[in-house]
Amino acid sequence: MKTNVLALVISLWATFSLQAQTNERYIEVTGTSEIEIVPDKIHYLIEIREYFEEEFDGKSKPEEYRTKVPLSEIEQGLRDALAQAGISPNAVRTQEIGDYWRQQGQDFLVSKSFDITLTDFNQINEIVRRIDTKGIHTMRIGELENKDMPAYHQKGKIEALKAAQQKAAYLVEALGKKLGNVIRIVEESSNTAFPFAQSNVLSSDAASFDSFRTIKKNYSILVRFEIID
């Protein structure tokens, strides 16, 4: 504890010394805050890929695969499953189309990715229950959004400023000084903590999505305050 107090005094003394030429004394502190946001828009990403029927017969070897299921058939099955799950066609957006090299000497397998906009995690359960997973390469939760994000940003920044003020006040008071006006505010980079997105989400258990139900947004602001005797 004595070491910490000594370090603080040395730090503040160094700050005073650096400002001796301008006769300005100040303290700089960083305030942080964390806001939890409940998403109202969920991007569910599904990639489909051509496959061979023989892959699933339990006996054929890769060199014996002959009957390729075309991408158009897999896509139609996916869209039918989405419609049955109550997902509007307007919520389905094609993200990218590409080729996949299976093995040397064998055919390319075409893949296609979709970004499906949902409003409820229960919709994922409905999709998983109805989808034919044979042509599905990956299914995962992507970006999470909220329409009131600007208001959350404002709240987070205000809380970070308050935290900086409180921190500066008790540090200065510990030296028998008073906290003066704000001299400078620098908004440092903020970051969003998204839950880890599984490469394959094939569970229909609603509990498996619990970690995605909130977005954690961290804010950091550097504030310079005047010190008054």
Side-chain angles (χ1 to χ4, degrees):
M1 183 64 184
K2 290 183 179 180
T3 301
N4 292 337
V5 172
L6 179 61
L8 173 62
V9 172
I10 292 174
S11 177
L12 291 178
W13 179 83
T15 299
F16 298 155
S17 298
L18 288 173
Q19 296 304 313
Q21 294 180 348
T22 60
N23 217 17
E24 180 185 16
R25 294 185 301 174
Y26 65 81
I27 181 174
E28 283 187 343
V29 297
T30 298
T32 60
S33 68
E34 181 179 271
I35 299 293
E36 288 195 353
I37 306 167
V38 178
D40 56 15
K41 183 182 291 187
I42 305 152
H43 291 272
Y44 196 48
L45 310 179
I46 298 180
E47 180 187 354
I48 61 174
R49 182 177 292 175
E50 292 179 328
Y51 64 94
F52 293 91
E53 291 183 358
E54 289 81 6
E55 292 182 54
F56 299 94
D57 64 13
K59 58 182 180 180
S60 298
K61 298 179 181 180
E63 58 269 21
E64 299 174 329
Y65 295 170
R66 295 290 184 272
T67 314
K68 183 191 292 186
V69 179
L71 191 70
S72 57
E73 181 178 327
I74 300 171
E75 180 177 351
Q76 187 57 54
L78 171 62
R79 290 186 179 276
D80 289 344
L82 293 175
Q84 293 169 13
I87 308 301
S88 168
N90 295 330
V92 183
R93 181 172 60 88
T94 300
Q95 201 171 39
E96 61 181 1
I97 302 175
D99 294 333
Y100 169 68
W101 180 253
R102 186 179 178 78
Q103 289 184 14
Q104 188 173 4
Q106 294 190 359
D107 291 343
F108 278 105
L109 297 177
V110 182
S111 65
K112 193 172 185 178
S113 298
F114 299 90
D115 183 336
I116 304 165
T117 303
L118 308 176
T119 57
D120 191 317
F121 284 98
N122 291 326
Q123 291 177 297
I124 297 177
N125 299 331
E126 295 299 320
I127 294 172
V128 172
R129 290 192 187 103
R130 291 171 170 79
I131 206 165
D132 181 359
T133 59
K134 288 181 181 178
I136 304 298
H137 180 60
T138 59
M139 301 170 67
R140 65 184 179 87
I141 295 172
E143 185 179 1
L144 305 175
E145 301 179 35
N146 186 288
K147 63 180 181 298
D148 297 322
M149 196 67 80
Y152 282 108
H153 289 333
Q154 183 179 26
K155 180 180 179 182
K157 293 173 185 178
I158 291 173
E159 293 301 319
L161 278 171
K162 289 181 179 178
Q165 184 179 35
Q166 291 174 0
K167 185 190 296 184
Y170 73 69
L171 289 176
V172 170
E173 288 171 6
L175 297 176
K177 307 294 182 180
K178 293 182 180 180
L179 197 65
N181 296 325
V182 174
I183 300 174
R184 184 188 182 201
I185 296 175
V186 178
E187 184 179 341
E188 299 183 335
S189 59
S190 59
N191 64 80
T192 304
F194 289 104
F196 175 72
Q198 299 291 335
S199 60
N200 285 279
V201 180
L202 297 177
S203 172
S204 60
D205 181 7
S208 64
F209 307 120
D210 284 347
S211 62
F212 293 91
R213 295 188 185 278
T214 59
I215 308 167
K216 290 184 179 180
K217 185 78 174 178
N218 297 306
Y219 300 87
S220 181
I221 294 182
L222 177 67
V223 187
R224 178 183 296 181
F225 294 93
E226 179 188 8
I227 296 178
I228 303 174
D229 289 331

